[in-house]
């Protein structure tokens, strides 16, 4: 099924005379695909002629189901062997946010996911972010390692000088606490950058 056909199944059977497939195609064009639909508010969806509250709610509910499926790992906890193991979850959670957030992924001794914790909301500025807050939850849950992540609302994941400085401070603090900082991921719209892979903020 095409993207439009999938969305059309959510729109059929609701009140309103607009053709579901045509309306689905209009939504894709208006909001720029799945990530745009995820970022859109319920009010923004309802503003599309022919959609209405019922259809808009169905679309948002389906997107939320997809997000929660990514978060719900069957069987054993998710094991993070590389950035690509955790990036899809972080992209689903963060790429649509309008405000920058700093999150920390807590891992056990086998790099299995313990918790995804939001540390800070706002511009990632080294003079504002308290490194102690980054490690508060990892210390509490006796995490062996962490992955730090934050998103750029612009959608462009290129690390800034501030990102590099914050990363360096987090890595150094982790060494003192015997908690390894595995990576710092910068999340964009449907993409990410691994700062460790680029050698930014991590000593060689």
């Amino acid at each position: 099924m095409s993207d439009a056909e999938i969305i059309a199944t959510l729109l059929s059977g609701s009140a309103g005379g607009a053709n579901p497939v045509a309306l689905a195609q209009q939504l894709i064009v208006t909001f720029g695909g799945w990530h745009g639909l995820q970022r859109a508010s319920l009010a923004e969806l309802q503003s599309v002629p022919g959609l209405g509250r019922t259809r808009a709610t169905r679309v948002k509910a389906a997107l939320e189901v997809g997000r929660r499926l990514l978060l719900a790992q069957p069987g054993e906890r998710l094991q993070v062997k590389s950035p690509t193991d955790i990036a899809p979850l972080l992209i689903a959670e963060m790429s649509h946010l309008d405000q920058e957030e700093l999150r920390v992924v807590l891992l056990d001794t086998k790099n299995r996911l313990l918790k995804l914790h939001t540390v800070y909301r706002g511009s990632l500025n080294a003079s504002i972010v308290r490194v102690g807050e980054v490690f508060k939850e990892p210390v509490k849950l006796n995490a062996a390692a962490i992955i730090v992540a934050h998103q750029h609302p612009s959608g462009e994941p290129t690390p800034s000088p501030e990102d590099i400085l914050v990363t360096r401070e987090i890595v150094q603090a982790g060494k003192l606490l015997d908690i390894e900082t595995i990576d710092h991921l910068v999340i964009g719209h449907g993409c990410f950058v691994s700062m460790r892979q680029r050698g930014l903020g991590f000593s060689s």
Side-chain angles (χ1 to χ4, degrees), residues 150 152 156-161 163-164 186 193-195 198 200:
H150 81 282
H152 287 174
E156 169 53 55
T158 301
S160 68
D163 295 342
I164 298 171
V186 184
V193 166
S194 163
M195 294 187 64
R198 293 199 178 184
L200 301 174

Side-chain angles (χ1 to χ4, degrees), residues 88-105:
L89 186 153
L90 294 169
I91 290 171
E93 280 280 285
M94 303 175 71
S95 65
H96 65 284
L97 299 175
D98 294 327
Q99 188 177 23
E100 196 165 313
E101 290 192 4
L102 177 66
R103 299 190 182 186
V104 59
V105 180

Side-chain angles (χ1 to χ4, degrees), residues 66-125:
R67 187 188 72 83
R68 294 191 186 190
L69 279 172
L70 276 175
L71 291 172
Q73 296 297 326
E76 290 191 4
R77 296 193 306 272
L78 173 67
Q79 187 174 38
V80 181
K81 297 179 180 178
S82 72
T84 55
D85 292 327
I86 194 68
L89 186 153
L90 294 169
I91 290 171
E93 280 280 285
M94 303 175 71
S95 65
H96 65 284
L97 299 175
D98 294 327
Q99 188 177 23
E100 196 165 313
E101 290 192 4
L102 177 66
R103 299 190 182 186
V104 59
V105 180
L106 283 64
L107 304 171
D108 65 13
T109 55
K110 294 184 178 180
N111 280 6
R112 293 176 302 189
L113 179 63
L114 290 172
K115 184 177 182 180
L116 180 59
H117 178 64
T118 300
V119 178
Y120 178 78
R121 291 183 176 91
S123 299
L124 194 64
N125 188 306

Side-chain angles (χ1 to χ4, degrees), residues 5 19 44 53 64 75 96-97 99 108 111 123 134 145 147 161 163 180 184-185 202 204:
E5 288 171 333
N19 178 276
E44 288 173 328
R53 182 175 180 80
E64 179 64 14
H96 65 284
L97 299 175
Q99 188 177 23
D108 65 13
N111 280 6
S123 299
V134 173
I147 294 174
D163 295 342
E180 181 185 4
H184 183 172
L185 306 183
F202 292 85
S204 56

